[in-house]
Amino acid sequence: MAAAAILRPYSAADENAAIELWRRTWVEHYPRIDFNARVDWWRARWCNELVPAARIVLAEVGSALAGFVTVDPKTMYLDQIVVAPEHWGSGLALMLLDEAKRLSPRGLDLLVNKDNYRAIRFYEKHGFIYAGEDKNPVSGKPVNRMTWRPAA
């Protein structure tokens, strides 16, 4: 299914679709958390923090938004890889991760929830290593710092 995906740069016209995809994906992954109540906070963060600083690349399957990645090549911080639940396991996440590595060839750093075992395994499988513990700056929940650097 990822082979049918097309990557393209984000534009302001994509804001609502990207925010809805973020909400829908996180509701599916963490159903006990009310992400519907967090949409206004996320929109503000998206508009004020991510859009001005990050490179955002969308993945479309057909005419539908299926995923996106946000990475700041200056800081090497990969803030988000979001893949629609119906595309989990399709290879789309790897396609987006490869794009993040292309955009930030010096390396990538990220935070991942300690209980997000699927994501941790995914990152480890694709060259990331554990770099320590931290806390999510919003929720205060424990996270792993992970890092990827290209082979010398």
Side-chain angles (χ1 to χ4, degrees):
M1 201 176 292
I6 296 171
L7 298 182
R8 69 170 179 82
Y10 170 82
S11 73
D14 299 311
E15 179 181 319
N16 288 334
I19 289 169
E20 173 55 18
L21 180 61
W22 172 86
R23 185 205 62 79
R24 188 168 64 87
T25 301
W26 282 100
V27 163
E28 180 76 20
H29 191 71
Y30 287 107
R32 67 189 179 278
I33 299 173
D34 184 2
F35 285 97
N36 296 321
R38 295 181 181 195
V39 169
D40 289 341
W41 165 81
W42 178 252
R43 185 177 302 277
R45 184 166 183 266
W46 181 265
C47 293
N48 299 325
E49 295 175 33
L50 294 176
V51 170
R55 298 279 304 272
I56 303 171
V57 176
L58 307 182
E60 292 181 329
V61 175
S63 61
L65 180 60
F68 63 82
V69 63
T70 68
V71 62
D72 183 342
K74 290 178 187 169
T75 64
M76 301 188 303
Y77 189 67
L78 189 162
D79 192 271
Q80 298 286 313
I81 290 184
V82 173
V83 175
E86 61 272 19
H87 295 285
W88 291 351
S90 71
L92 192 57
L94 179 56
M95 191 177 190
L96 290 166
L97 179 59
D98 286 346
E99 181 66 5
K101 288 178 177 180
R102 187 188 72 76
L103 292 171
S104 184
R106 295 180 302 126
L108 293 168
D109 299 309
L110 59 85
L111 298 176
V112 59
N113 292 333
K114 283 187 144 324
D115 65 351
N116 193 344
Y117 307 113
R118 181 179 179 155
I120 292 168
R121 283 190 309 272
F122 171 79
Y123 291 124
E124 288 173 340
K125 181 178 177 181
H126 297 290
F128 283 76
I129 59 170
Y130 175 81
E133 296 189 13
D134 211 329
K135 287 187 179 181
N136 180 298
V138 175
S139 69
K141 292 187 182 259
V143 294
N144 287 346
R145 282 185 284 119
M146 298 187 79
T147 188
W148 167 81
R149 297 295 181 265

